[in-house]
Amino acid sequence: MSDIKVKNFDFQRELEKVAAGIRKPNILICGATGAGKSTVVNWIFGKNVAATGTGRPLTRGITEYSSEETSVNLFDTEGYEIGEEKISAYRDNVEKWIEERREGGLAGQIHEAWYCISAANKRVTDMDISVVQTLLEKNIPTVVVLTQLDCVDYEEYREMFRAVTENCNVHCFATSAHEDQYIQEVMEPYIEWEALIDWAIRELDDSLKEGFIGSLAGHVQKKQELVTKKIIPIYTTAAAGVAATPIPFSDAVLLEPIQVSMAMHILRTYGLDKVSEELISFVGSLVVTQAGRMLAQSLTAGVLKMIPGVGTAAGIAVNTVVASTFTAAIGAALSQSCANYSKAVFEGSKPQSYPEFFDSAILSGFVESWLKEHKNGKDT
Ligand SMILES: Nc1nc2c(ncn2[C@@H]2O[C@H](COP(=O)(O)OP(=O)(O)OP(=O)(O)O)[C@@H](O)[C@H]2O)c(=O)[nH]1
Ligand SMILES: [Mg+2]
């Protein structure tokens, strides 16, 4: 029965709707030429975001990297060269540009700035200090990214760190993007990519955090947490609302669109909507069939007994609990599959085939264990 309903969905369209609802943070990347700005962007958001040639040059040497595929807008400033004149031109440029965007309204304003200084320079220039001050005066949350840490020794690193924090009065996080994995491992105790990302998330308004986290390369755990705490609850609430309306519950027609939107939202958060169109419709169909099957079974079999509240409450209350619990269970199950697949793709050396991670037996297994875990009404 529910197999037929799959045809009613345009999963791509659902995905677009979800994407359109995600607010995008605007992040400004500053620093001298060669400071490692583009490298930082690539490291954090993946090579696709700031790949050469995909940016849109705006006025005055600022390149915007934004696309429908990512939920973050990056503004990479063309680094300034040494020389007093060029430096103040750069600063005035950036300052004026920030003002203009602010006047253009809320969506356009810069939400935070990352100022890159190469540790290899072995000094913090007056210019660095002056630009950071300007950003702070504009009330832009600003951080210094101390790049290319692999180019200095420990003493030099401490000295740079001290110079930055004393002179710039902002947080400073050290990073290295060396290609050699061995060097990265040796440097690990000093590298603060995670802390930088946590700072960046913390400084964003709640409504912008999702866009940022969803755009990160990797960071599966952060995505999983976002899905559990912020995304699934949107849909369980909607499902409960639908169930509370006086329509026969056995009619899953109203619940399925909610679960499909949720599924697309989860795929988007893990960045798996970019894998292939096949994966999108594969997962969409799977969720529709799975939800339909679960609902049908639940009305006849003992599955209902596993759901907290059922049997104690009556009528509409039962339906509301069932609807939101099913939605939560399916969301959690899909999130688990997505997390496993993302980890495999991220850690694996060869391309992973998705049916191994998204088949209906696996999904039912996750649903069942989620229901067991939440039997006592926790966390639904
Ligand atoms: N060893 C090492 N090299 C790095 C690191 N980060 C960047 N580089 C190198 O430094 C050079 C400059 O990096 P970019 O990211 O292009 O610098 P940028 O600030 O974007 O430079 P402009 O766009 O010219 O302003 C490149 O050759 C990078 O490969 C790092 O952490 N370690
Ligand atoms: Mg660059």
Side-chain angles (χ1 to χ4, degrees), residues 184-224:
Q184 284 296 107
E185 275 168 27
V186 171
M187 308 277 309
E188 209 192 314
Y190 310 101
I191 295 179
E192 298 174 297
W193 287 115
E194 284 298 321
L196 169 63
I197 289 167
D198 288 339
W199 175 91
I201 295 171
R202 213 166 45 237
E203 292 297 326
L204 290 173
D205 187 79
D206 265 357
S207 63
L208 295 164
K209 288 180 170 44
E210 178 186 342
F212 186 90
I213 295 171
S215 303
L216 292 170
H219 294 275
V220 176
Q221 211 181 325
K222 280 198 168 60
K223 292 174 184 174
Q224 207 163 4

